Amino acid sequence: MNVGTFILVSAIKTVIALLVLLTAVAYTVWLERKVVGHIQNRWGPTRVGPFGLLQPLADGVKFMFKEDLVPPHVYKPLYIAAPIIAVVCALTSISVIPIGNWVTVGGLRTPLQITDLNIGLLIILGITSMGVYGVALAGWSSNSKYSLLGGLRASAQMVSYEISLGLSLIGVLILAGSFSLREIVDAQAGSFWGFIPKWNIFYGGQIVAFFIYLTSAYAETNRIPFDLPEAETELVAGYHTEYSAMKFAMFFMAEYANMITVSCVATLLFLGGWHGPLFGAAVLQEILPVFWFLLKVFVFLFIYIWVRGTLPRFRYDQLMAFGWKFLLPLAIANLVLTGLIVALRS
Amino acid sequence: MPQNYVPIFLFMAVIAVMIPLPLLLAKLVRPDNPSKSKLMPYECGIDPVDSARGRYTVRYYIVAILFVVFDVETIFLFPWAVKFKALGMFGFIEMLVFLGILIVGFIWIWGKGALEWV
């Protein structure tokens, strides 16, 4: 592949990925409102379009036409930069996530991901942890008490749970022996005992790591039951109290894009990525892996919303104690046990 | 392969153009009539008392320091995990020594009460 084709293919993939991702973000918001509505015995959005399906569009238009208030007491450069940092970090991490196997389009063989890096997982961890800057700077630069408290809480919570999150991935890395997301998925191909798929959640005893990852990821994305930074009952809206219109929408987009990234990573690392039963014609066999991948991601997003509709919020001291005194020792124990089993077996 | 990193920068460039765009577009259509009470820091309708850049609890600093300690440990574990099968039992025991020292430190800070949130 020469340089021109390479750039062209990457550009096309970038545009498609962004369009899909932004649509997915918009419809995750719709799904959340709809599902939480039904959980709470309401209908959710119904007015705009059939089943309220055009609601995200209406929201977008409304965000455009709202007054964007920049209060005089804020530190303006960081106040404007913070939502942009948050959303750029949230969206960029999608660029290394593979959604399927290699495909051949018009005689050109290409992987279904923007770029295949041998340190893909590290890139995702790095970029998503940069997201804490957006939140912390938004809280500080707003120069309002609620914002500052929300920003502080968010940064303390995100850094605390990042350790357990990082440690829970090490078991998977030991089993796969690679940072490349594609190789991690390839290591989970096949099945054992005849029918159970060799996904990390079943095979290699990574089910504990899976739950540690999921819990920490909920805390990282500031979602219920860990949504202390934006606890409405005590902090109004936390770090984005002073934001309005499009800048507020950017924090929202960042949160939902992060949810999607977390769901993708959980699928790739623990649920075998795009592996699933293949059958039918050749064309169907090309499409099915992508379908399985998207289905698993959808399940994770649904669980996110389900949890939001079910669980109450933690208290802040409980949150910190849970992260440091329970998840961290558990993650270390899981890592040592996985290491011991793999070392004894080889 | 170094050329595989190029699409990431391409991706970031596209986002860097695309994200400020709605902000600028919205500037053309949105109303702009600020008033004194709109521009006050939001404190549930009460006039703000004191500066927002006040002091906050020392716990946040402790959490930040603990994070640095344990995150460096995590980063140290990553390359070890990737090369685990090549290192075998020897590598595992080496890492147990490292983890052991860290766990002793962890128990110590726990005993000292650095993990309590009061």
Side-chain angles (χ1 to χ4, degrees):
Chain A
M1 208 190 291
N2 60 22
V3 179
T5 341
F6 182 71
I7 299 283
L8 187 69
V9 169
S10 316
I12 291 172
K13 279 195 217 166
T14 303
V15 171
I16 293 176
L18 268 176
L19 284 179
V20 171
L21 182 61
L22 291 178
T23 318
V25 166
Y27 278 94
T28 315
V29 178
W30 173 83
L31 184 76
E32 167 148 19
R33 292 173 66 179
K34 202 79 185 165
V35 173
V36 170
H38 279 275
I39 288 174
Q40 294 167 350
N41 224 346
R42 297 181 284 114
W43 280 108
T46 51
R47 296 284 165 150
V48 198
F51 307 106
L53 270 173
L54 295 177
Q55 187 69 39
L57 213 66
D59 287 344
V61 172
K62 188 140 189 177
F63 276 130
M64 288 289 255
F65 282 93
K66 277 286 170 187
E67 182 175 1
D68 193 349
L69 210 65
V70 181
H73 52 87
V74 301
Y75 180 62
K76 219 170 162 189
L78 289 181
Y79 177 82
I80 294 171
I84 296 180
I85 294 174
V87 79
V88 166
C89 292
L91 293 180
T92 311
S93 48
I94 211 82
S95 61
V96 291
I97 286 176
I99 64 160
N101 250 325
W102 289 67
V103 288
T104 313
V105 181
L108 204 69
R109 214 169 143 64
T110 178
L112 276 178
Q113 97 192 87
I114 289 174
T115 178
D116 184 14
L117 291 181
N118 50 4
I119 54 161
L121 190 58
L122 273 188
I123 295 256
I124 289 183
L125 284 179
I127 294 176
T128 47
S129 9
M130 293 279 284
V132 75
Y133 278 111
V135 172
L137 290 179
W140 181 81
S141 68
S142 293
N143 206 354
S144 150
K145 281 160 204 146
Y146 291 122
S147 301
L148 182 73
L149 284 174
L152 279 173
R153 278 187 180 184
S155 13
Q157 166 182 337
M158 281 161 98
V159 299
S160 300
Y161 279 79
E162 203 169 300
I163 300 164
S164 325
L165 187 117
L167 286 174
S168 70
L169 302 182
I170 287 177
V172 175
L173 290 176
I174 289 177
L175 289 172
S178 171
F179 279 129
S180 159
L181 291 164
R182 193 164 284 281
E183 281 173 36
I184 291 174
V185 172
D186 287 341
Q188 300 174 53
S191 58
F192 64 107
W193 295 345
F195 65 100
I196 305 175
K198 223 172 145 186
W199 301 345
N200 276 334
I201 186 173
F202 302 124
Y203 189 76
Q206 290 308 302
I207 186 155
V208 180
F210 171 71
F211 282 108
I212 297 170
Y213 174 82
L214 214 59
T215 319
S216 318
Y218 279 34
E220 285 282 297
T221 45
N222 297 331
R223 295 281 303 183
I224 283 179
F226 304 105
D227 69 334
L228 271 296
E230 36 193 310
E232 294 90 349
T233 40
E234 36 183 315
L235 285 185
V236 190
Y239 53 87
H240 49 57
T241 304
E242 298 284 332
Y243 282 88
S244 47
M246 216 58 215
K247 298 199 189 75
F248 172 77
M250 282 184 176
F251 280 115
F252 239 75
M253 274 163 64
E255 183 180 327
Y256 284 88
N258 273 330
M259 273 167 64
I260 292 176
T261 312
V262 161
S263 307
C264 288
V265 173
T267 306
L268 291 169
L269 296 189
F270 296 103
L271 283 191
W274 52 84
H275 290 307
L278 292 180
F279 49 82
V283 180
L284 195 65
Q285 296 218 354
E286 294 261 309
I287 298 170
L288 268 177
V290 180
F291 172 73
W292 292 127
F293 180 79
L294 294 181
L295 183 71
K296 289 171 192 172
V297 171
F298 177 79
V299 168
F300 273 109
L301 286 175
F302 191 82
I303 295 174
Y304 250 116
I305 297 164
W306 191 357
V307 166
R308 186 202 152 159
T310 310
L311 293 182
R313 191 178 291 134
F314 272 103
R315 223 168 51 215
Y316 204 72
D317 60 325
Q318 291 172 330
L319 169 95
M320 282 309 197
F322 184 70
W324 284 100
K325 294 179 179 171
F326 180 71
L327 280 188
L328 181 60
L330 191 67
I332 293 178
N334 171 66
L335 143 75
V336 171
L337 260 177
T338 312
L340 184 67
I341 292 168
V342 175
L344 283 178
R345 209 186 275 160
S346 63
Chain B
M1 286 178 285
Q3 78 267 21
N4 275 0
Y5 289 83
V6 174
I8 291 193
F9 292 107
L10 199 73
F11 194 86
M12 284 179 121
V14 172
I15 296 176
V17 175
M18 211 189 62
I19 293 303
L21 205 68
L23 281 178
L24 296 175
L25 260 175
K27 206 166 197 155
L28 300 174
V29 292
R30 72 189 175 209
D32 187 28
N33 38 6
S35 68
K36 190 168 167 288
S37 40
K38 262 190 206 171
L39 292 174
M40 275 194 327
Y42 183 77
E43 286 191 15
C44 304
I46 307 165
D47 282 348
V49 192
D50 227 355
S51 160
R53 300 266 156 78
R55 298 181 177 180
Y56 46 85
T57 169
V58 69
R59 294 283 156 202
Y60 290 110
Y61 296 94
I62 296 176
V63 167
I65 293 168
L66 291 182
F67 163 70
V68 172
V69 174
F70 284 95
D71 209 43
V72 168
E73 171 216 351
T74 316
I75 293 165
F76 191 58
L77 282 169
F78 274 139
W80 165 80
V82 169
K83 278 278 155 267
F84 187 83
K85 280 170 186 159
L87 295 169
M89 207 49 168
F90 172 73
F92 178 66
I93 290 166
E94 287 276 289
M95 193 44 81
L96 274 190
V97 175
F98 171 75
L99 275 178
I101 295 168
L102 220 112
I103 289 167
V104 170
F106 183 69
I107 294 168
W108 185 75
I109 55 168
W110 193 330
K112 275 277 171 186
L115 303 180
E116 310 296 328
W117 195 277
V118 275

